[in-house]
Every structure is written in C-alpha cells, then in structure tokens.
Amino acid sequence: MNRIVHPIEQESYRRLRARLDTSHFPPLTRAVVERVIHSAADLEYATDLVTDEDDLVRSHAALHAGAPVVVDVEMVGAGITRRETVCRLRDAGSVAGLTRSAHAIRLAYEQVGPGALWVIGNAPTALEELLTLDAAPALVIGLPVGFVGAVESKAALRESGLPAVSNVSEKGGSAVAAAALNALLYHPTSPEETP
C-alpha cells in the first residue's frame, strides 16, 4: 500500500524508538506494537500486548488478499481509514440474553462468514460472543477496554487458540484496536515496498 507518511508521524516514531528499543521484535509484531504505542502514547503496550508472528504473517496475507474486516463499533471502523469495514451495531438489539454488542457480532458473522479479520476495541461482550461462534477468523484483534470483563474476555481469546492480538491489562479501546489493524494494512506486502 502506497502511503505518504506525514513528517509529524515520522518524528513521533523517531521519538518512540529513542525511548523504546523495538528492534528485537519480528517485523509484523514490531509494526503492531509500535503503531499501538503510537496511537496511545503508552510505552507499556510493549510488554502488555500478546501477539504471534506466524499468526500475523497469515492474517497479513489474508487482509491483503481481501478478507473482510469486521469491527465491533463504528469508532473502530472510523480509525481504519484505508479499508471498508463491517459494523452491525446499528442493526442490533438486546435479544435472547445478548447485549447489543454481542448481537451485532452475531449479525456480522451471518453477513461475512468465516475467514474475516475481527477488530474488537470496545465491548468485552462482543469478544465473548465471537468466541462462541465457529467463525474460523483470519485474526481476532481483541483489545476491548474496561474494568468489567475486558481482562477475562482477552484471556479467553488467548486460551481459545485462535490467531489473535490481545493484551493482558484492562487497557484497550477503539484507537488501539484500529491501530493494530492499520499496522497490518500499512506494512509492505513485498520487500520492495516501503511503509
């Protein structure tokens, strides 16, 4: 993806790297960690994020091959500016014991089927619902924020064995979830490309 990087962003990354050595991370993990840190100005994400480079390599390929991207809230979708996303929250309601966010995930799965990249940055119940489906995701970016259910839902994601990006603390949110997906979008698909 050809992308013009603004000088402010370049300077921000220079300062980030001056404060934190990320050179030991594999390429896609480094891209995700740095973009999440950049989005939140929070260096603690370097030790809080949980990723697997092999999962990121496969999901990067799926993303660039056109796999759908599903988000739990429109705010996450708004942060993903170079790709159409699916968000069914406006169509959802609190039904059958589900929160509105969980119902939206069910509706989105009915729309996109298996193989999507799921980006959850707001509602732990959305992540919990995704884990009950046989979604066969290309990747789950599970970074819901909050003091109720966020840590537990992210732990359940890691225990599921699904390809994932998560973190261990209560931190998260729309901006960091979108940033993790954008890191994969912006990362070169061939050695000749430059980020």
Side-chain angles (χ1 to χ4, degrees), residues 70-77 85-95 98-109 111 118-123 125-126 174:
V70 181
V71 299
D72 64 331
V73 293
E74 290 179 13
M75 188 63 132
V76 174
T85 62
V86 173
C87 180
R88 297 296 303 273
L89 192 59
R90 287 181 186 240
D91 304 319
S94 295
V95 296
L98 297 175
T99 65
R100 190 168 160 238
S101 295
H103 185 226
I105 292 300
R106 193 175 283 185
L107 292 173
Y109 177 65
Q111 179 178 337
W118 295 80
V119 189
I120 298 174
N122 185 59
T125 60
S174 298

Side-chain angles (χ1 to χ4, degrees), residues 48 122-125 127-128 131 142-159 166-172:
D48 191 41
N122 185 59
T125 60
L127 182 53
E128 291 165 1
L131 295 177
L143 295 168
V145 63
F147 296 111
V148 178
V151 168
E152 295 83 358
S153 66
K154 291 181 273 193
L157 172 59
R158 290 189 299 278
E159 291 166 11
S166 69
N167 69 312
V168 288
S169 73
E170 296 92 352
K171 293 189 293 190

Side-chain angles (χ1 to χ4, degrees), residues 178-193:
L181 191 280
N182 285 338
L184 298 175
L185 269 177
Y186 300 160
H187 198 273
T189 56
S190 68
E192 295 80 35
E193 292 182 42

